[in-house]
């Protein structure tokens, strides 16, 4: 079973503010567990959020000049 984190712990893990984590919850952009009034975020949900937002680096062969032709 995943560790359930409160908003402050999740913010610390993401290196963001608690306000950002609360916004993710309010906008339903991250999975959370509601335990009465308080909410908890699974550690795996945070990892999935980070993985979903990860952008792969470009390689020199992937780069195309803006004009579409060689310089």
């Amino acid at each position: 079973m995943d560790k359930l984190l409160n908003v402050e712990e999740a913010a610390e893990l993401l290196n963001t503010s608690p306000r950002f984590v609360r916004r993710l919850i309010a906008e339903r952009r991250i999975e959370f567990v509601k335990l009465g009034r308080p909410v908890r975020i699974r550690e795996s949900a945070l990892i999935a959020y980070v993985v979903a937002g990860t952008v792969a680096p470009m390689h020199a062969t992937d780069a195309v000049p803006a004009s579409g032709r060689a310089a």
Side-chain angles (χ1 to χ4, degrees), residues 33-54:
V33 178
K34 188 121 170 95
L35 302 170
R37 186 168 185 240
V39 295
R40 298 290 184 261
I41 300 106
R42 289 189 180 118
E43 199 168 15
S44 63
L46 287 178
I47 293 168
Y49 175 76
V50 170
V51 168
T54 301

Side-chain angles (χ1 to χ4, degrees), residues 55-66:
V55 178
M58 287 183 61
H59 299 287
T61 57
D62 297 336
V64 177

Side-chain angles (χ1 to χ4, degrees), residues 13-55:
L13 192 63
L14 291 176
N15 198 26
T16 64
S17 68
R19 182 177 176 175
F20 176 73
V21 176
R22 285 189 186 96
R23 192 175 83 205
L24 291 176
I25 292 168
E27 294 174 357
R28 309 261 176 159
R29 293 173 51 199
I30 193 165
E31 182 182 291
F32 62 93
V33 178
K34 188 121 170 95
L35 302 170
R37 186 168 185 240
V39 295
R40 298 290 184 261
I41 300 106
R42 289 189 180 118
E43 199 168 15
S44 63
L46 287 178
I47 293 168
Y49 175 76
V50 170
V51 168
T54 301
V55 178

